[in-house]
Amino acid sequence: MATARTTTSPREVAAGSSGPMVRIENVHKRFGALEVLKGVNLDVQSGEVVCIIGPSGSGKTTLLRCINFLETYDEGRIYVDNELVGYAERNGRLVPAREKEIARIRAETAMVFQQFNLFPHMTALRNVAFGPVKVRGVPKEQAEQRARELLARVGLAEKADAYPGQLSGGQQQRVAIARALAMEPKVMLFDEVTSALDPELVGEVLAVMQDLAASHGVTMIVVTHEMMFAREAADRVVFMDGGVVVEHGPPDQVIGAPRSERLRTFLRRFTTA
Amino acid sequence: MQTVIDNFGLLMRGLAVTLQLSALIIVIGTTIGVFGGLGLLYGPAIVRAILRGYVDIVRGTPLLVIIFLIFYGLPALNVDISGFGAAVIAFSLFAGAHVSEIIRGAVAAVPKGQTDAAKALGLTFWPRIGSIILPQALPIILPPWVNTAVEMVKGSSLVVLVSVSDLMFATVKVAERTGDPMPLYITAAAIYIVVNLAISRFGVWLERRISYGVPV
Ligand SMILES: Nc1ncnc2c1ncn2[C@@H]1O[C@H](COP(=O)(O)OP(=O)(O)O)[C@@H](O)[C@H]1O
Ligand SMILES: [Mg+2]
């Protein structure tokens, strides 16, 4: 939790000014005695598409969840658009931010989950329009109009009135992407969004994400095991292992010419599969 | 049968008290239960400990003991209380403990991913509870909640022991006076059954109203 920590580099940069869209500085995270993140450093530029790869248990999900503060972090700093996530600085110390502040930053960092997590008691349309209405105060008609456009963009215009339970996994995940887009976030976080899908449904979701990545309208941080997707869509690939970033760089370099033995070992699984 | 017809007005006045008492208990008990259940899950450690103590103690104590504790206990502390007032407090505490546990269990059964998704949209605690969590917990809450409501209507007959003139009280009095108890008790039983059937039907209607799409 937020134990008292001293400031190493006081930042007084206002939101919206230049700097990376996401800055992760020396972030540590422990679950009890288990240290899951051991000093992660990563900058993501505005509009950049970053894919994070790495073996299971390396801390990828935990890192994403720290970025929108679904998990607290124990050391280091995370900034989204130059705003410190989850904490406020007082007299050089970090204290937990207020609930409203945390919620405000979360609204800027949309997340798409492995298990979709659509709201089962709402139609697809309502799932997508809900956030803008409830959080941003957008008038209902306007939000639903926009929701219909977004559902059309993910190829589900005709499913607006369906409940999540009536949709396939791939369709649900596309609704979830539309729900995230509806918030017009600065950053979108994707956590293995195709891992829970039947193989034949993976393609339709990846196609939507590929389209999104190509538009470069939004900063994307994508945890994935889809190496083809990483190669084609990412500006940069980050390899995590054991709670740290081991290598990062352009996809051709990281996937095509891995430098570390750990990454070579990791990638071998995909070439033989 | 003639005794029932002759004293029907008295019985109906008793029924009015029973309904009033039951309604108060259900409303207050449910209110306690909503905050109690949420407090058990989301409250700070000290609040959780206090609520846990309350729920476990009350659920482990016979209702009649709670009624007597309030009815005889409060006057001993120089607090004036009518039998009706004592009954409302005792029953509400009792129902509140049971509903707390019902709501705690139902809310805990909503998948954690729902909270994550709601938080990720930027929802603060109460909108998250109101728009995302409780609507999904409601179908789980409803059957045991209806059950508790029915138990409270039946249990309210215990108030004869603190001289509240409810349906049971009226029945007992008329039976004593006329020396013809059987038709009176059968009538009372029938009235209780009708009221409870009505509550059950209402529950089923509510369940239908809130069910959505295809179960997930
Ligand atoms: N809530 C939690 N409590 C305890 N341990 C956790 C929790 N979440 C994740 N972990 C542990 O942290 C490690 C990293 O998990 P995770 O971030 O999910 O890795 P990845 O997404 O790379 O597979 C794993 O060992 C996992 O068991
Ligand atoms: Mg993961």
Side-chain angles (χ1 to χ4, degrees):
Chain A
M1 266 308 296
T3 44
R5 282 177 263 145
T6 49
T7 323
T8 46
S9 58
R11 301 173 60 93
E12 272 142 36
V13 194
S17 61
S18 63
M21 181 52 84
V22 177
R23 162 157 282 178
I24 298 165
E25 284 178 2
N26 189 33
V27 164
H28 290 252
K29 168 69 183 175
R30 289 175 208 93
F31 289 111
L34 179 70
E35 188 166 29
V36 174
L37 300 179
K38 300 175 180 168
V40 174
N41 290 285
L42 182 66
D43 280 1
V44 180
Q45 304 303 322
S46 180
E48 197 181 8
V49 177
V50 169
C51 282
I52 302 180
I53 60 173
S56 167
S58 56
K60 307 179 299 293
T61 295
T62 304
L63 182 65
L64 280 195
R65 290 172 63 86
C66 284
I67 295 173
N68 65 0
F69 213 60
L70 289 180
E71 298 288 354
T72 59
Y73 47 97
D74 299 301
E75 252 176 81
R77 309 281 168 105
I78 298 176
Y79 298 91
V80 170
D81 202 15
N82 296 307
E83 286 195 281
L84 184 59
V85 173
Y87 299 98
E89 268 187 56
R90 249 177 249 144
N91 306 324
R93 291 181 161 201
L94 293 193
V95 294
R98 291 144 58 117
E99 191 197 12
K100 278 207 160 153
E101 281 304 299
I102 295 171
R104 192 175 55 76
I105 292 185
R106 279 186 184 141
E108 307 292 348
T109 52
M111 186 153 183
V112 184
F113 301 86
Q114 190 173 341
Q115 299 295 339
F116 333 134
N117 297 344
L118 287 181
F119 304 131
H121 58 302
M122 298 181 187
T123 62
L125 185 74
R126 184 98 184 94
N127 262 282
V128 178
F130 176 78
V133 170
K134 198 82 181 174
V135 176
R136 298 245 193 262
V138 176
K140 191 160 173 256
E141 306 71 50
Q142 192 183 325
E144 290 192 346
Q145 172 62 31
R146 176 81 184 123
R148 282 183 200 284
E149 289 167 21
L150 288 169
L151 285 175
R153 180 167 175 190
V154 299
L156 291 172
E158 79 288 2
K159 294 291 184 187
D161 297 322
Y163 284 87
Q166 299 167 313
L167 299 173
S168 73
Q171 291 170 332
Q172 288 190 57
Q173 196 59 295
R174 285 185 280 153
V175 174
I177 293 171
R179 175 175 70 176
L181 280 170
M183 292 301 288
E184 299 186 348
K186 292 173 178 165
V187 183
M188 284 180 81
L189 310 171
F190 296 82
D191 189 14
E192 292 194 34
V193 296
T194 57
S195 294
L197 297 176
D198 294 335
E200 72 272 20
L201 302 176
V202 168
E204 63 189 61
V205 173
L206 287 183
V208 166
M209 292 176 62
Q210 201 111 35
D211 173 55
L212 209 57
S215 74
H216 284 275
V218 60
T219 311
M220 291 168 68
I221 305 180
V222 184
V223 170
T224 185
H225 286 301
E226 300 289 338
M227 291 304 143
M228 283 296 289
F229 174 81
R231 266 201 125 117
E232 284 163 28
D235 298 310
R236 196 146 51 101
V237 174
V238 172
F239 172 60
M240 276 183 76
D241 193 12
V244 292
V245 172
V246 178
E247 262 185 62
H248 66 99
D252 287 344
Q253 181 198 308
V254 173
I255 300 175
R259 276 175 292 188
S260 64
E261 187 50 45
R262 282 152 100 181
L263 178 51
R264 277 195 290 273
T265 310
F266 174 72
L267 288 173
R268 216 163 283 144
R269 272 180 249 167
F270 294 90
T271 46
T272 53
Chain B
M1 209 50 224
Q2 197 54 41
T3 35
V4 173
I5 295 165
D6 289 345
N7 295 287
F8 201 67
L10 270 176
L11 294 184
M12 284 301 109
R13 246 170 290 156
L15 174 63
V17 173
T18 290
L19 291 178
Q20 199 186 351
L21 186 64
S22 303
L24 270 173
I25 295 163
I26 290 167
V27 169
I28 300 173
T30 301
T31 308
I32 294 175
V34 169
F35 289 100
L38 293 175
L40 277 170
L41 283 172
Y42 302 113
I46 176 79
V47 172
R48 291 204 307 269
I50 292 169
L51 287 171
R52 185 37 67 199
Y54 155 64
V55 169
D56 287 350
I57 288 169
V58 170
R59 291 204 314 156
T61 311
L63 181 49
L64 191 55
V65 173
I66 301 174
I67 296 171
F68 282 166
L69 271 174
I70 303 279
F71 186 67
Y72 295 112
L74 285 184
L77 299 169
N78 283 323
V79 180
D80 241 5
I81 186 106
S82 65
F84 189 84
V88 169
I89 294 174
F91 278 89
S92 296
L93 284 175
F94 187 81
H98 282 266
V99 178
S100 290
E101 196 55 31
I102 290 169
I103 289 185
R104 186 203 60 75
V107 168
V110 176
K112 202 183 152 292
Q114 293 293 310
T115 297
D116 285 344
K119 281 182 175 176
L121 283 180
L123 256 64
T124 48
F125 181 76
W126 287 110
R128 211 157 66 221
I129 294 297
S131 297
I132 305 299
I133 305 301
L134 282 183
Q136 293 182 59
L138 214 52
I140 314 172
I141 291 170
L142 216 46
W145 179 84
V146 167
N147 198 41
T148 302
V150 167
E151 286 304 322
M152 289 302 101
V153 173
K154 289 194 283 182
S156 73
S157 60
L158 286 173
V159 297
V160 284
L161 298 168
V162 292
S163 303
V164 174
S165 46
D166 74 331
L167 174 59
M168 189 64 191
F169 189 86
T171 311
V172 171
K173 287 296 160 204
V174 175
E176 278 173 1
R177 182 158 49 73
T178 59
D180 186 17
M182 279 314 283
L184 286 159
Y185 283 113
I186 290 170
T187 305
I191 295 174
Y192 278 114
I193 289 169
V194 167
V195 171
N196 286 330
L197 274 179
I199 294 177
S200 298
R201 298 306 306 169
F202 173 70
V204 170
W205 174 81
L206 216 57
E207 247 170 277
R208 257 200 224 118
R209 265 206 60 152
I210 61 170
S211 72
Y212 42 80
V214 172
V216 280

